[in-house]
Amino acid sequence: MSSKLQLTTLAVLVSAALPAQAALYKVVEVAPGVSGNEVYGTAIQPGTTTDPKGCFVDDCADGASYKLAGETRNRPDGFSYREEVPFAMDNSFGYIEDDYDGFEDYCFYQLGYATCEYWASDRWSSWYNETYSSNTPNSLAFIEGSAEKPSGAINTVINSLDPSGQPVGNFSTSSKRNEAFSAVTNSTLTSKAQSRAWASDGTYTVGSTSSKSGIGGERYYYSSAPAIWSASGFVSIPRAGGYEVDGDYYAQGSMRDFYIDSAGGKTYGVGYNNYSDQHMNATIFIGNSATPTSATWSSALIYNAQVDISGDNINSNSVATNINKNLVVVGQAKRSGGFPQNGAASNRLFIVPDASASSINASFFYGGIFFDGAGGEMGGINNFNEIVGRIDSENHREYDGKQRRQRAFIYPYGMTPKTDSSEETAITARRAIFKNKAWLLDDLTNGGSESSNNNQYRIYDASDINDAGVISATAVKCSGGYDSTSHNAYCGDGNGTEKVVAVKLVPIAGADASAIQPRSYDSTATERQGAGLGFGALTILGLFGFMRKRIK
């Protein structure tokens, strides 16, 4: 038998042994309908399917039933258009007041990169343009190809979509740095100097309000407070400690997500609140009524994630980003530059299994793809306790070094104390699809009939996931496909042109754990000579610094 025939026979046998549709997800690129050099996916419309396994059983095709929201960028944010204060921690406004030097100081003292001049210059030029130069829009928001621009808006961000697909977010105008928008409006809210909206169920919306506009002479020195509102009611959550103004520091707070526990007669919110020494700490807000705007609210600090631990400011800030119906809370805590861990002052991801517990303690992600000191950005959690976001995919030293590359992940957490017994079977079945462990999403888009299409993308960030299992994400695209299916493949031998695009990850009907074909790593590097981003694209994305909830 000839060697050619032997190889052909072997290929046929191997092909027959593989599942007909390998890979767990189909990558579906979403056209923004607005202009911009880079396009990011920020939220997916809530929804489920008739089968508890979601789109892994029910064929969701290209996920058209679940709208994706996103934004564009032509340059990095000066500081995040979402956050209440610069860098999610500068509540004295000291860094931002010092202009370029402040940006460089923040990078030097809180990030520790050896590339701080570049990092600062990139953001300072954008901040200067937004503050002193022009009102040229940078962040244009969209939902499935249709622009979302409230009247008078300059920069617009969408933090989430409500169940009917309506946007929830904030925008800047010539007189306000941030103004909330959602389908739920309230006259008290619109009278506030600044406001932000983070999540909504269509009846209630949560976010924050601020005491000054953040524009012109009031761009510094304002305080903010967590808030929840309906069409007929508005509640500002009290500060957990400290004063509105304490020396050079201004109290801050924000509610990022919520769940109404009708059976228990309570409402749970998550975000951060202001505590003693003006520390901004991850918090669970507890309202004593299933009618949030009629409730009396208290704040429970999430221990292990707070700023001050045993007398040292181990973290610079922390925030709880999401909560689901099982009362599972996820969030992130930024390690202080003075206390790096494993060579990085990283943004570590955490989980609280039960928001109603008598003692609230954060557990940081660890094991598998989550190495000691790994940093990332929380994306979201659905009601099957499936968590998405992005995480460091390299573990070299960042402090006095370069920024680590990051990739999107999914983490099927499994059962928690408040999981309804009727849903345990569904959660167990869905978790088994992922072999009961966390994965980089690039490993779940490889192989089978979708391989050629999927190989055009490397998934950088996963920002949201719904109960059907559809994920909103951001990817780097090499049209026609990367040179191989490996994680670190080049685009056109390093000469190809890549771009940043918004994508949905839609589960493939019938796919299960046997379909997982992890990507390999190329052992030899290809010399890059062209202008394309190549394998360095993910580093550039990291330096670009797009933050969702970031995130948040």
Side-chain angles (χ1 to χ4, degrees):
M1 184 181 291
S2 70
S3 60
K4 180 177 181 181
L5 181 58
Q6 291 180 50
L7 290 172
T8 302
T9 303
L10 178 61
V12 170
L13 291 172
V14 171
S15 175
L18 292 175
Q21 287 206 38
L24 292 186
Y25 293 96
K26 176 192 301 185
V27 182
V28 180
E29 186 174 345
V30 177
V34 292
S35 61
N37 293 337
E38 301 187 342
V39 185
Y40 298 83
T42 63
I44 199 74
Q45 183 179 354
T48 187
T49 63
T50 56
D51 192 280
K53 285 189 178 180
C55 298
F56 286 108
V57 171
D58 291 338
D59 188 355
C60 295
D62 289 343
S65 297
Y66 312 102
K67 297 177 182 178
L68 178 142
E71 301 156 14
T72 64
R73 292 292 190 278
N74 293 314
R75 58 184 186 272
D77 304 4
F79 73 85
S80 173
Y81 301 130
R82 294 179 158 80
E83 295 293 341
E84 279 75 17
V85 295
F87 315 123
M89 57 82 67
D90 184 18
N91 57 338
S92 71
F93 298 89
Y95 285 124
I96 204 73
E97 187 179 25
D98 287 343
D99 295 332
Y100 171 82
D101 290 341
F103 279 85
E104 188 173 21
D105 284 347
Y106 172 79
C107 180
F108 181 80
Y109 290 110
Q110 291 297 333
L111 303 177
Y113 305 149
T115 55
C116 281
E117 286 188 7
Y118 168 80
W119 189 97
S121 178
D122 207 23
R123 284 153 182 78
W124 157 244
S125 61
S126 188
W127 171 247
Y128 182 89
N129 179 73
E130 295 165 12
T131 308
Y132 305 111
S133 181
S134 70
N135 285 328
T136 303
N138 182 37
S139 181
L140 302 180
F142 65 91
I143 300 177
E144 291 285 336
S146 298
E148 291 291 330
K149 186 178 181 182
S151 177
I154 300 172
N155 290 309
T156 306
V157 296
I158 296 176
N159 294 316
S160 63
L161 294 175
D162 72 16
S164 63
Q166 295 302 304
V168 182
N170 53 272
F171 62 96
S172 63
T173 68
S174 59
S175 60
K176 290 186 178 183
R177 176 167 175 81
N178 284 286
E179 185 165 343
F181 73 101
S182 72
V184 181
T185 60
N186 181 281
S187 58
T188 300
L189 177 79
T190 55
S191 69
K192 298 292 184 178
Q194 282 195 79
S195 57
R196 295 163 177 81
W198 284 89
S200 179
D201 64 0
T203 301
Y204 299 97
T205 298
V206 297
S208 68
T209 61
S210 300
S211 60
K212 292 184 179 181
S213 69
I215 295 292
E218 296 183 328
R219 68 172 58 93
Y220 308 125
Y221 317 132
Y222 53 81
S223 63
S224 62
I228 184 167
W229 61 89
S230 66
S232 58
F234 177 91
V235 175
S236 182
I237 310 299
R239 296 181 184 85
Y243 306 91
E244 180 176 5
V245 182
D246 186 3
D248 294 332
Y249 294 90
Y250 292 76
Q252 307 294 334
S254 178
M255 192 181 295
R256 302 295 175 87
D257 198 8
F258 71 108
Y259 175 72
I260 298 175
D261 179 10
S262 298
K266 292 184 178 181
T267 303
Y268 294 89
V270 297
Y272 71 89
N273 207 342
N274 183 81
Y275 291 80
S276 60
D277 294 327
Q278 300 297 80
H279 291 156
M280 299 157 56
N281 288 327
T283 296
I284 295 174
F285 304 101
I286 304 168
N288 64 354
S289 169
T291 304
T293 51
S294 299
T296 299
W297 288 85
S298 61
S299 296
L301 184 147
I302 299 177
Y303 288 96
N304 297 338
Q306 74 269 31
V307 171
D308 187 328
I309 299 177
S310 300
D312 291 317
N313 288 351
I314 300 298
N315 296 308
S316 63
N317 64 289
S318 61
V319 59
T321 57
N322 303 91
I323 185 172
N324 68 8
K325 72 176 185 179
N326 303 314
L327 302 188
V328 182
V329 175
V330 292
Q332 55 203 32
K334 167 66 174 66
R335 193 86 177 184
S336 171
F339 293 88
Q341 180 182 12
N342 193 21
S346 54
N347 199 45
R348 299 177 299 157
L349 310 183
F350 67 77
I351 187 166
V352 176
D354 181 6
S356 67
S358 58
S359 179
I360 305 296
N361 296 281
S363 296
F364 289 96
F365 290 6
Y366 183 73
I369 63 173
F370 306 113
F371 59 85
D372 185 35
E377 195 77 15
M378 188 59 73
I381 182 172
N382 65 15
N383 289 315
F384 292 95
N385 297 338
E386 295 163 346
I387 304 165
V388 296
R390 70 174 188 261
I391 197 71
D392 288 342
S393 59
E394 300 174 325
N395 63 358
H396 62 254
R397 183 179 178 85
E398 280 192 328
Y399 226 76
D400 298 323
K402 64 178 181 178
Q403 190 172 0
R404 296 167 179 164
R405 293 184 177 93
Q406 295 183 335
R407 297 287 180 95
F409 73 86
I410 184 167
Y411 181 13
Y413 190 76
M415 241 58 74
T416 53
K418 291 295 183 181
T419 299
D420 191 303
S421 59
S422 65
E423 297 178 344
E424 289 183 2
T425 300
I427 289 178
T428 299
R430 286 178 69 132
R431 193 166 187 255
I433 295 171
F434 303 98
K435 299 184 178 180
N436 304 314
K437 65 178 184 179
W439 292 88
L440 296 181
L441 281 164
D442 279 338
D443 284 326
L444 307 183
T445 62
N446 185 37
S449 61
E450 292 295 332
S451 185
S452 179
N453 172 68
N454 286 358
N455 193 45
Q456 297 182 101
Y457 305 93
R458 294 295 182 268
I459 313 303
Y460 166 66
D461 184 41
S463 56
D464 198 7
I465 182 171
N466 65 17
D467 288 345
V470 182
I471 298 169
S472 59
T474 301
V476 182
K477 181 182 181 182
C478 175
S479 294
Y482 283 88
D483 295 351
S484 74
T485 60
S486 67
H487 278 290
N488 56 340
Y490 284 107
C491 178
D493 200 28
N495 298 311
T497 300
E498 295 168 275
K499 61 180 181 179
V500 179
V501 296
V503 297
K504 292 179 187 177
L505 301 183
V506 184
I508 297 171
D512 58 23
S514 66
I516 298 175
Q517 298 183 39
R519 296 184 186 274
S520 61
Y521 286 87
D522 289 339
S523 58
T524 57
T526 303
E527 182 181 355
R528 293 173 56 238
Q529 298 176 342
L533 295 180
F535 183 51
L538 294 181
T539 296
I540 290 173
L541 268 172
L543 293 173
F544 203 77
F546 175 74
M547 303 291 283
R548 182 193 173 262
K549 295 181 181 178
R550 34 260 144 116
I551 75 179
K552 155 197 237 293

